[in-house]
Amino acid sequence: FFLSPKLENETKGKLQKQICRVVLDHFEKQYTAELGNAWSSVRDVLTDPLCWQHSVLLNRFSPCPELESRLCVQGYHPAFQGALPYLPAALKCYLRRTPGRFPAPKHQAGRLKECYLLNAASLLPVLALQVKDGEKVLDLCAAPGGKSVAILQCACPGRFHCNEFDDLRARWLEETIESFIPQPLINSITVSKLDGRHIGDLKPELYDKVLVDTPCSNDRSWLFSSDIHQATLRLIQRKELSSLQFQLLRSAVKALRPGGCLVYSTCTLSRAENSDVINLALSSCSDLVPVDISAMGRAVSQEFTFLAGLQQHELLVLPERGRAWGPMYVAKLKKI
């Protein structure tokens, strides 16, 4: 979309007023220490929604050549053109450098939606997982369902278990699956509302691949908290999130068969919720080893900016202008 300079300034002013100072001050201290000079440019993107970008994931179960043509006319181009280690031909995602949001498809009874709008960095955990046809796959914290839909664009698992503990989010997940996946395939998908911390004990060593897109302190949304009391409470509870994340990760390890792989992801920059959780898992789980995903990072470096200095089994997407994707942390582990 395009705004007149006057309207853009007015809109930007309104958005700036909505930024929660308590959260921003907290982030300033934490991320200046953790990211150094990179935080300044990341902060500028996170606090300016007018520069945010959205990608368009096409639904292979509802092909629409006219949609692809329309995207190209509007300046979108196919994502992931590098030599990726894993890129199924059926996975088609379009993005563009300029800000703006492509119109979201509306629900039509009896018809599948043709595309799903998402942050392009959200596809990196799916690409890292490398799901193949026939595998048993668990999406441990699946709502709202974007990554579940993306997995099904890549392959047809022999068994696909999508779990979401929160009732409201679980309904959202079910609606997403129903809107994008045809009935015959839906019949092979299990949607549950289990506490993810217990799935490993309930279904030990059952899955070939597990995605742990864990609940986290979502940096983008938290910055625009309208309730200061709620924002302050969130920041206090933030210290407890890493414990929950580790418990979910440990449960995923138990649910994973020997030789299987898992991907852990968050949409926060926080080291405590990212590298620290993975390091704790590697040091406390003798049956886990890191998996190098640096080749994937190099292959998509034209589209994403990554934090330097991380280990080869992890990536952290840093939003910047023109490439305002992320934050998205991705780490891959294998059970031996």
Side-chain angles (χ1 to χ4, degrees):
F1 58 81
F2 298 94
L3 300 177
S4 68
K6 180 180 178 181
L7 182 57
E8 182 172 339
N9 289 333
E10 289 177 357
T11 305
K12 188 171 182 179
K14 290 178 182 178
L15 289 168
Q16 292 292 346
K17 290 177 183 178
Q18 294 173 1
I19 292 173
C20 182
R21 195 75 224 179
V22 172
V23 175
L24 182 58
D25 288 347
H26 181 90
F27 284 1
E28 286 281 6
K29 294 176 183 177
Q30 178 178 353
Y31 293 146
T32 297
E34 294 183 6
L35 302 178
N37 294 333
W39 166 239
S40 178
S41 58
V42 171
R43 178 194 58 214
D44 289 346
V45 172
L46 292 182
T47 56
D48 183 10
L50 285 172
C51 77
W52 293 2
Q53 296 161 260
H54 294 83
S55 66
V56 183
L57 175 66
L58 303 189
N59 185 9
R60 67 169 171 148
F61 304 111
S62 182
C64 181
E66 295 83 2
L67 174 58
E68 291 191 66
S69 299
R70 189 150 51 101
L71 286 166
C72 292
V73 168
Q74 295 189 23
Y76 286 82
H77 64 272
F80 312 123
Q81 296 298 290
L84 274 158
Y86 171 85
L87 184 62
L91 180 71
K92 292 185 178 181
C93 179
Y94 282 79
L95 48 80
R96 65 179 181 181
R97 296 281 184 179
T98 54
R101 186 184 182 94
F102 193 79
K106 296 180 179 179
H107 174 72
Q108 296 182 45
R111 287 192 58 181
L112 297 177
K113 292 183 179 180
E114 297 164 346
C115 63
Y116 188 97
L117 306 188
L118 76 171
N119 187 313
S122 297
L123 292 176
L124 294 181
V126 174
L127 293 173
L129 198 60
Q130 299 188 346
V131 174
K132 299 175 183 176
D133 289 346
E135 290 184 321
K136 296 176 181 177
V137 181
L138 168 63
D139 190 347
L140 190 66
C141 311
K147 294 182 181 66
S148 297
V149 168
I151 286 172
L152 292 167
Q153 305 305 310
C154 297
C156 291
R159 177 174 182 173
F160 192 21
H161 181 179
C162 300
N163 181 72
E164 176 55 51
F165 183 50
D166 181 84
D167 277 338
L168 182 60
R169 288 175 60 82
R171 288 198 294 274
W172 190 1
L173 169 64
E174 290 173 344
E175 290 176 1
T176 299
I177 291 174
E178 290 172 1
S179 296
F180 288 91
I181 310 304
Q183 193 58 51
L185 188 53
I186 286 181
N187 293 337
S188 67
I189 301 172
T190 300
V191 178
S192 67
K193 302 177 184 178
L194 301 170
D195 187 330
R197 293 172 292 184
H198 303 319
I199 284 183
D201 293 322
L202 295 171
K203 300 181 183 295
E205 299 191 347
L206 179 61
Y207 301 99
D208 302 296
K209 304 281 173 65
V210 180
L211 176 61
V212 190
D213 186 47
T214 184
C216 67
S217 49
N218 187 317
D219 294 347
R220 281 186 187 242
S221 65
W222 281 27
L223 274 169
F224 293 89
S225 301
S226 56
D227 186 328
I228 295 179
H229 174 73
Q230 182 189 49
T232 304
L233 185 61
R234 276 178 170 175
L235 292 174
I236 294 172
Q237 294 173 337
R238 192 181 202 207
K239 299 174 182 178
E240 303 170 5
L241 269 173
S242 59
S243 175
L244 169 63
Q245 291 157 344
F246 175 74
Q247 292 175 62
L248 289 167
L249 182 55
R250 190 70 187 94
S251 176
V253 174
K254 292 179 180 179
L256 195 63
R257 67 162 178 81
C261 290
L262 68 81
V263 168
Y264 174 90
S265 60
T266 75
C267 53
T268 179
L269 300 162
S270 175
R271 184 185 300 162
E273 300 176 49
N274 294 338
S275 296
D276 289 356
V277 172
I278 293 299
N279 290 337
L280 178 58
L282 287 169
S283 64
S284 60
C285 304
S286 59
D287 53 354
L288 271 188
V289 293
V291 177
D292 187 350
I293 56 174
S294 59
M296 182 182 80
R298 289 192 297 272
V300 298
S301 60
Q302 292 300 313
E303 304 290 5
F304 301 101
T305 301
F306 295 105
L307 178 66
L310 296 186
Q311 300 298 307
Q312 290 185 325
H313 59 274
E314 55 182 353
L315 299 169
L316 178 58
V317 179
L318 300 178
E320 67 172 23
R321 290 185 182 272
R323 302 198 291 186
W325 313 112
M328 178 59 59
Y329 175 80
V330 185
K332 187 171 183 178
L333 306 173
K334 182 176 181 179
K335 186 174 183 178
I336 56 175

